[in-house]
Amino acid sequence: MPKTSTLTPQQRSQLVLRRLSTEERAEQTARRAGVSEQTLYRWRHEFIRPGKQTMNGRGAEAERAKAVHRLEGAIAERDQMIGELTIGKRITITLTATSS
């Protein structure tokens, strides 16, 4: 059964930051902390993942905003066209009714 670490999330983050900022081998860092190398790599992945999502999120949000702006423009154009066609149809109906 795997042993759970007694390190706090803050201690884990500090350990991962130390590993990322030095040229010390992962094996040495893990041994010093009393954890397996695989655990250290898992913590690193967990530490980095939110940063990746945040960075991707900004770009994705900008793309979504552009798409929404484009779609709003297309809807406004269609609304205008529908309005013009509706007015034209009413004029045609009115002229047809008065000429009869």
Side-chain angles (χ1 to χ4, degrees):
M1 185 166 183
K3 181 176 112 178
T4 55
S5 173
T6 58
L7 297 176
T8 67
Q10 184 176 6
Q11 290 171 321
R12 292 176 186 184
S13 295
Q14 289 173 348
L15 186 65
V16 169
L17 284 171
R18 186 177 342 140
R19 170 67 186 108
L20 291 172
S21 65
T22 65
E23 292 188 19
E24 181 179 68
R25 293 177 36 196
E27 179 184 7
Q28 293 170 327
T29 305
R31 189 178 316 126
R32 187 179 314 122
V35 298
S36 72
E37 213 175 322
Q38 183 171 355
T39 298
L40 182 62
Y41 283 121
R42 183 171 38 88
W43 290 346
R44 182 190 66 182
H45 177 72
E46 291 170 0
F47 183 85
I48 292 173
R49 186 177 3 168
K52 284 182 180 178
Q53 291 171 347
T54 300
M55 292 179 84
N56 289 337
R58 287 187 193 150
E61 282 181 36
E63 287 300 316
R64 273 187 292 246
K66 286 179 187 177
V68 166
H69 185 67
R70 264 192 320 270
L71 292 171
E72 287 173 342
I75 290 170
E77 285 179 34
R78 286 192 183 116
D79 285 347
Q80 174 135 8
M81 188 180 297
I82 289 170
E84 290 170 0
L85 291 170
T86 302
I87 291 170
K89 183 74 171 171
R90 284 183 184 163
I91 291 172
T92 303
I93 291 172
T94 303
L95 291 176
T96 305
T98 51
S99 62
S100 301

